Amino acid sequence: MLGSKNLGSMNRDLFVVGNWKMYKTAREAAAYLEELLPMVEGARPKIMLAVPYTSISSAAKAAKGTEVWIGAQNMSDAKEGAFTGEIAALMLKEAGASFVLLGHSERRHTFGETNELIHRKVIRALQDDLLPILCIGETASLREAGHAEQVLREQLKKGLEGVPEESQFFVAYEPVWAIGTGKTATPKMAQDAHAFCRDCLEEIFGKKKAAQVPLLYGGSVKSDNVAELVKQKDIDGVLVGGASLEPTHFAAIVNHCKKEKS
Ligand code: 13P
């Protein structure tokens, strides 16, 4: 299978995941990887790139034989069928994707995806052997109203309902107010939210599994704030939007991402 990699056991480590959103054609994706790869050779964090559907194949080909994993940003909850314009997990896999972002805030807020739909997508990704990264996060108004924890618990409980304990998945906490705004959560705010998410995972799966799930932080991550974020006890990596679009910026984030815990 083109560029597909066995993700093996994906317990907590250190991950830098880029989310290109709706940027970069197939040709631009190949050129990006050609520029990025020499700059991150031997880097400590595992590197993952969530790219547009039409760029998966060329990105996977360019990343073949490296430790960079290519993934998608969304998918259908159905295995196949008469769903015009949708894309199935198996199609993404065959193109070279090994993981998929699900429930990104732009999917929830711009495209109206509900916890129920996202849950069905999580189950479908697991069944079809794509690693799901479940994205969760509260809006500014819900945080100000004191409802952030309630929202996070609900997104986690509904998103992961019925997921077998032995499944491999990641959770990405991306406060909506920090996405694309330049307003990063402080390391303490991010750690508090991550610790809360880990407590919720413990309620769902028990202590052992909760301690193993990689939790990523996303929202205006840059090379000058990544180190402080990943120093936090419950932060196992970052999900990067805007700053992942330039190979030099993304490489700087990868190379500043060090796991010295505070
Ligand atoms: P920014 O890094 O541009 O804030 O985007 C974050 C994000 O949405 C990653 O999924």
Side-chain angles (χ1 to χ4, degrees):
M1 207 174 296
L2 188 65
S4 130
K5 295 186 176 76
N6 180 1
L7 291 169
S9 171
M10 295 294 287
N11 286 341
R12 289 176 69 184
D13 198 322
L14 189 56
F15 303 90
V16 177
V17 185
N19 174 11
W20 287 356
K21 308 193 179 185
M22 202 175 73
Y23 293 99
K24 298 196 189 298
T25 64
R27 197 185 306 225
E28 288 166 345
Y32 175 102
L33 276 146
E34 198 178 317
E35 196 178 336
L36 176 76
L37 291 171
M39 293 191 279
V40 295
E41 217 182 320
R44 166 73 180 78
K46 294 200 160 74
I47 302 170
M48 301 160 81
L49 287 171
V51 308
Y53 299 140
T54 51
S55 299
I56 291 173
S57 170
S58 78
K61 198 167 159 202
K64 201 169 177 196
T66 74
E67 287 300 314
V68 175
W69 298 323
I70 304 301
Q73 302 166 11
N74 181 32
M75 54 171 248
S76 169
D77 62 321
K79 191 171 187 75
E80 60 183 359
F83 301 110
T84 302
E86 288 292 276
I87 195 149
L90 291 172
M91 297 167 185
L92 299 174
K93 265 201 78 157
E94 196 176 292
S98 45
F99 72 95
V100 60
L101 304 181
L102 294 175
H104 188 277
S105 111
E106 286 144 23
R107 298 302 316 170
R108 292 177 187 266
H109 299 289
T110 312
F111 299 98
E113 291 197 7
T114 60
N115 281 324
E116 289 70 24
L117 174 62
I118 294 159
H119 170 245
R120 292 197 301 276
K121 293 185 181 197
V122 169
I123 299 292
R124 169 62 51 208
L126 291 170
Q127 280 171 350
D128 290 341
D129 203 23
L130 274 183
L131 175 91
I133 301 184
L134 173 64
C135 304
I136 60 170
E138 80 286 359
T139 59
S141 57
L142 285 166
R143 174 169 276 265
E144 278 151 25
H147 298 318
E149 293 194 342
Q150 188 190 324
V151 170
L152 296 178
R153 177 182 275 118
E154 187 164 301
Q155 290 177 340
L156 281 170
K157 288 212 158 161
K158 292 194 169 159
L160 297 170
E161 199 184 325
V163 165
E165 195 192 313
E166 62 278 11
S167 307
Q168 301 274 348
F169 59 88
F170 290 12
V171 171
Y173 167 65
E174 299 200 290
V176 179
W177 45 271
I179 295 177
T181 58
K183 283 190 219 158
T184 325
T186 63
K188 176 164 180 347
M189 274 163 90
Q191 165 56 26
D192 289 349
H194 279 233
F196 177 77
C197 291
R198 216 175 279 290
D199 287 346
C200 293
L201 291 173
E202 191 174 327
E203 287 167 24
I204 305 168
F205 295 103
K207 211 176 179 62
K208 182 162 171 257
K209 176 70 177 172
Q212 293 170 345
V213 176
L215 290 185
L216 313 179
Y217 169 80
S220 299
V221 173
K222 307 261 170 356
S223 58
D224 59 7
N225 59 24
V226 66
E228 278 305 310
L229 287 162
V230 298
K231 254 191 213 170
Q232 308 303 312
K233 181 168 164 279
D234 287 294
I235 301 184
D236 306 306
V238 286
L239 179 52
V240 187
S244 72
L245 291 173
E246 269 291 317
T248 45
H249 294 168
F250 191 59
I253 291 174
V254 170
N255 292 319
H256 281 86
C257 186
K258 308 244 162 74
K259 185 119 177 158
E260 290 126 23
K261 294 290 186 190
S262 53

